[in-house]
Amino acid sequence: MSNYAIFGDIHGNLEALQAVLHDSEQRGCQHFACLGDIVGYNANPSECVDIIQSMNCPTVKGNHDVEAIGIAPLLGMNPVATAALSWTREMLSLEQKTWIRRLPLVSDKYPDFSLVHASLDSPKLWNYILNAHEASSSFRKQIKQLCFHGHTHVPQIYISDTLSAANTADIKLGKETKVFLEPDKRYFINVGSTGQPRDGDWRASYAIFDSENRTVEICRVEYDVVLTQKKIIDAGLPERLAERLGAGR
Ligand code: ZN
C-alpha cells in the first residue's frame, strides 16, 4: 500500500492538525506532504511548526509563513490577518523562522506529484485559483500528472485533457469526493484547509492519494473546534477568528 496524506493551510490550529494526522494514519497513510501556511490566524503556530518539522516530510511555504518570518510592516492583508500575523511573529523562535525560510516554494520530492501552495505558474505571487480558467495558467507549468495545492481553503479538483491546458474542467466538490486518475489527463487538486476551512464545512480537510489504485480522495475530519476557539480568545486574538472556525467561513 502506498497512501499519501496531503494537507495544508493549518494556520496554527493544533487540534485540527492532530485530527488530520490521526485520521490519515488510521486510513493507512505512510507518507505525508504539507502545502504550507502552517501558521497565521490560530493560537498554536509554534506547536504546529514543531510537528511538521519533526515529520520531516516534503513541505512548501505559504504566504502566511513568509509574512510570519518577516520583519517588514504587514501590508495588503485584512486587519484580522495582520493582527494574527504580528502575534505569530512573537510566538515563533528564531530557529523555527530559519526552518521556515529554507522551505521551497515548489516541491518535487515525491515522483508521483508536485506540491505548491498557490499556483505553479507564479508561486511567489500567491494567486488564488478559483476557476478552470485560472487553473489553466498553472497547468501550463505542470509536468507531472498530479499537483496538489491549497491557499483558497476550498477543496476543488481541476482536470486538464491531455496536454491542452485550454480544456480545463472544474469539479465542484459535492458528495463525490473521490476521483480516479485517468492516465491521459492531468489533475490540479486543492486539498482544502486543515485549520480554517472556508467552504461552509467546519471540519478539517485534507487529501489521500493512493498511488496503487490511482485515486485521490478529499477527506473531512471532526476535531475539538471549541477548544481551538477558546485558545484564540485566551490568546487575545480577534474574536472573528474563533467565530469563523465554527461556520467554516
Ligand atoms: Zn491559507
Side-chain angles (χ1 to χ4, degrees):
M1 270 215 318
S2 312
N3 283 352
Y4 297 76
I6 302 105
F7 54 89
D9 293 287
I10 300 149
H11 289 291
N13 186 334
L14 179 62
E15 291 70 35
L17 175 60
Q18 287 170 331
V20 160
L21 295 179
H22 180 73
D23 188 70
S24 56
E25 275 159 27
Q26 299 278 92
R27 287 161 170 261
C29 293
Q30 316 89 336
H31 309 288
F32 300 88
C34 176
L35 291 165
D37 272 7
I38 303 165
V39 303
Y41 296 127
N42 302 305
N44 286 119
S46 173
E47 292 80 357
C48 291
V49 169
D50 279 348
I51 290 175
I52 306 299
Q53 193 176 0
S54 70
M55 289 175 73
N56 201 22
C57 60
T59 301
V60 292
K61 67 173 82 153
N63 53 318
H64 283 252
D65 303 322
V66 170
E67 295 293 353
I69 61 173
I71 46 165
L74 292 151
L75 303 169
M77 282 187 160
N78 68 60
V80 171
T82 303
L85 275 166
S86 45
W87 180 85
T88 299
R89 282 178 172 182
E90 305 294 318
M91 294 298 125
L92 298 176
S93 71
L94 204 58
E95 189 218 336
Q96 289 177 319
K97 289 182 181 177
T98 305
W99 177 77
I100 292 172
R101 187 169 292 112
R102 290 181 183 147
L103 293 174
L105 288 164
V106 178
S107 172
D108 281 298
K109 279 205 177 144
Y110 287 129
D112 275 318
F113 55 85
S114 303
L115 303 167
V116 68
H117 183 66
S119 74
L120 283 175
D121 49 314
S122 50
K124 258 188 190 169
L125 295 182
W126 316 112
N127 292 328
Y128 288 91
I129 306 297
L130 299 168
N131 55 50
H133 174 71
E134 288 161 359
S136 64
S137 323
S138 191
F139 271 125
R140 285 191 197 98
K141 297 281 178 177
Q142 186 176 323
I143 294 157
K144 292 179 181 172
Q145 189 197 14
L146 188 54
C147 177
F148 291 101
H149 72 295
H151 195 45
T152 66
H153 298 204
V154 175
Q156 194 104 1
I157 296 175
Y158 299 100
I159 303 172
S160 176
D161 271 351
T162 61
L163 293 173
S164 146
N167 275 331
T168 304
D170 167 2
I171 297 188
K172 295 258 186 279
L173 289 163
K175 286 204 159 54
E176 205 63 56
T177 57
K178 196 174 200 171
V179 285
F180 292 87
L181 305 180
E182 295 174 44
D184 57 347
K185 291 184 174 161
R186 288 179 301 149
Y187 298 81
F188 185 50
I189 298 181
N190 191 321
V191 307
S193 168
T194 287
Q196 195 195 73
R198 293 178 192 161
D199 61 341
D201 184 343
W202 66 273
R203 297 172 302 165
S205 184
Y206 75 103
I208 293 180
F209 168 53
D210 178 337
S211 65
E212 252 166 58
N213 296 309
R214 307 300 295 171
T215 61
V216 175
E217 184 179 2
I218 304 289
C219 308
R220 302 305 284 256
V221 202
E222 294 189 2
Y223 68 94
D224 191 348
V225 65
V226 175
L227 177 58
T228 310
Q229 289 171 319
K230 184 182 181 303
K231 287 180 177 179
I232 290 168
I233 304 297
D234 289 350
L237 288 162
E239 266 178 51
R240 166 88 188 98
L241 290 171
E243 285 164 23
R244 70 184 299 176
L245 279 187
R249 291 283 174 206

